[in-house]
């Protein structure tokens, strides 16, 4: 039948067309694929309030590399440890610390008002800015950085917060550069901060 004789050339033609389309696609778009592979979708726009009670967005951090950390002032250990380490790191960086910014974003805005954050942060490096906002604004910032947090009831009417303890290292353009955390050896963390500053 004619149909059977048509099938082979049709298959050859279709396969050839497919190879052509894929090759053309790879030739046309390789750089875009590489670019998107290099960018990690962490960070981005947020709208919060600083511990001075002023509006504060990601635009306030751009221009210099920065460190972002999510936590809460009632945290018994991880947050104060991280903020203490960061304070020590900034002292160790000396003049280079001026080329770095740091933000501490609360995951407990119900208790962490800008006033309370200001009092709390007085124990740490004064360059660390405390950020609070409405529940929705905090949730949006947490989504941008893909961090997890959850309210955990404790005895009585009290509660604590479970949260990711990642220290995000962001470059001067506000793009993801790397991470660190409070369990990392001091020298490793400081080497990363020096690299981040050098990278700009
Ligand atoms: Ni904490």
């Amino acid at each position: 039948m004619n149909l059977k004789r048509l099938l082979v050339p049709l298959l050859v033609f279709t396969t050839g067309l497919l190879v052509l389309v894929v090759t053309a696609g790879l030739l046309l778009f390789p750089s875009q694929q590489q670019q998107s592979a290099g960018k990690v979708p962490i960070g981005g726009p947020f709208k919060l309030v600083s511990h001075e009670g002023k509006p504060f967005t990601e635009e306030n951090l751009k221009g210099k590399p920065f460190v972002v950390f999510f936590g809460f002032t009632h945290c018994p250990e991880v947050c104060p440890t991280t903020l203490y380490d960061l304070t020590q790191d900034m002292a160790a960086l000396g003049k280079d610390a001026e080329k770095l910014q740091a933000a501490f974003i609360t995951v407990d805005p119900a208790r962490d008002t800008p006033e309370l954050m200001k009092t709390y942060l007085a124990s740490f490096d004064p360059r660390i800015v405390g950020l609070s906002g409405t529940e929705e604004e905090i949730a949006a910032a947490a989504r941008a950085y893909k961090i997890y947090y959850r309210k955990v009831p404790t005895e009585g009417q009290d509660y604590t917060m479970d949260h990711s303890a990642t220290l995000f290292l962001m470059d001067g353009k506000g793009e993801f550069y790397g991470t660190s955390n409070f369990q990392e050896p001091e020298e490793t963390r400081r080497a990363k901060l020096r690299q981040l500053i050098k990278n700009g």
Side-chain angles (χ1 to χ4, degrees):
M1 231 341 245
N2 276 347
L3 203 74
K4 218 172 188 178
R5 276 201 295 188
L6 262 174
L7 205 65
V8 175
L10 194 70
L11 260 174
V12 171
F13 177 73
T14 315
T15 312
L17 198 69
L18 200 72
V19 169
L20 201 73
V21 167
V22 170
T23 312
L26 285 175
L27 283 172
L28 282 169
F29 303 111
S31 59
Q32 285 183 12
Q33 281 174 347
Q34 274 167 11
Q35 269 176 20
S36 63
K39 278 185 193 173
V40 178
I42 286 182
F46 60 75
K47 199 174 140 277
L48 300 167
V49 179
S50 78
H51 66 255
E52 299 290 355
K54 291 182 182 138
F56 198 101
T57 73
E58 80 290 348
E59 291 298 325
N60 293 89
L61 290 170
K62 284 183 190 171
K64 279 184 191 177
F66 57 93
V67 174
V68 176
F69 175 66
F70 287 79
F72 65 117
T73 66
H74 289 69
C75 182
E77 197 189 343
V78 174
C79 294
T81 304
T82 305
L83 290 167
Y84 176 77
D85 286 349
L86 194 56
T87 297
Q88 298 297 108
D89 291 346
M90 288 178 94
L93 287 169
K95 273 195 115 172
D96 277 348
E98 297 297 333
K99 298 173 194 157
L100 187 70
Q101 301 178 95
F104 175 60
I105 305 178
T106 184
V107 291
D108 184 16
R111 290 187 294 200
D112 288 340
T113 59
E115 298 74 31
L116 180 59
M117 292 192 89
K118 186 175 179 168
T119 308
Y120 180 73
L121 287 171
S123 308
F124 304 102
D125 190 291
R127 289 166 289 198
I128 302 171
V129 58
L131 300 174
S132 189
T134 64
E135 297 280 352
E136 292 75 24
E137 287 166 344
I138 294 297
R143 269 198 304 277
Y145 282 87
K146 299 186 166 52
I147 73 116
Y148 152 89
Y149 69 99
R150 188 172 65 97
K151 195 181 258 191
V152 182
T154 53
E155 268 176 54
Q157 296 296 312
D158 215 359
Y159 68 90
T160 187
M161 300 298 294
D162 204 4
H163 68 95
S164 310
T166 311
L167 204 60
F168 294 98
L169 313 181
M170 310 296 288
D171 71 15
K173 285 180 238 146
E175 270 156 31
F176 177 81
Y177 181 81
T179 62
S180 181
N181 65 64
F182 77 106
Q183 284 162 321
E184 199 161 53
E186 187 180 275
E187 271 321 303
T188 313
R189 196 179 58 246
R190 287 183 189 172
K192 284 182 180 180
L193 290 174
R194 284 191 194 99
Q195 268 307 115
L196 174 69
I197 292 168
K198 216 172 137 191
N199 179 71

